Amino acid sequence: KEYRRQRQMCIRDRYLQCKFAEVPKYELVSQQGPAHERIFVVQAVVHGKECGSGRGKSKKEAEQNAAKAALDRLNNDKQ
């Protein structure tokens, strides 16, 4: 399951890299909640602009959700 998530993240990053000629950078925006129930908010940044944000119970999960949001946004902009 973990391998599948990593692979999906890699595919998303490569697609975004092909589209924007730059790999997205993931920036931690905030951490909320107590240490045992922390929620992380991360944004995907390409060319200095935020192109998607995501939340998760880990930084990794938040990055994956930010990558998905960036990809969804890119696909919506095409239509």
Side-chain angles (χ1 to χ4, degrees), residues 13-14 16-18 20-26 45-47:
D13 280 353
R14 285 184 186 224
L16 291 169
Q17 180 182 15
C18 288
F20 294 110
E22 182 178 323
V23 175
K25 293 176 179 65
Y26 298 98
V45 178
V46 178
H47 296 299

Side-chain angles (χ1 to χ4, degrees), residues 2 5 28 30-31 37-42 54-66:
E2 182 62 30
R5 269 196 217 126
L28 181 64
S30 68
Q31 302 176 45
E37 290 182 359
R38 187 101 8 162
I39 297 293
F40 297 91
V41 179
V42 170
R55 300 168 58 93
K57 293 183 179 184
S58 68
K59 289 178 189 175
K60 187 179 220 176
E61 182 182 357
E63 287 176 358
Q64 290 170 342
N65 290 332

Side-chain angles (χ1 to χ4, degrees), residues 1-16 26 60 63-64 67-68 71:
K1 189 174 182 179
E2 182 62 30
Y3 172 77
R4 186 171 183 221
R5 269 196 217 126
Q6 289 176 347
R7 179 124 172 91
Q8 288 173 340
M9 185 77 163
C10 182
I11 290 168
R12 286 183 193 127
D13 280 353
R14 285 184 186 224
Y15 179 80
L16 291 169
Y26 298 98
K60 187 179 220 176
E63 287 176 358
Q64 290 170 342
K68 184 179 183 321
L71 197 55

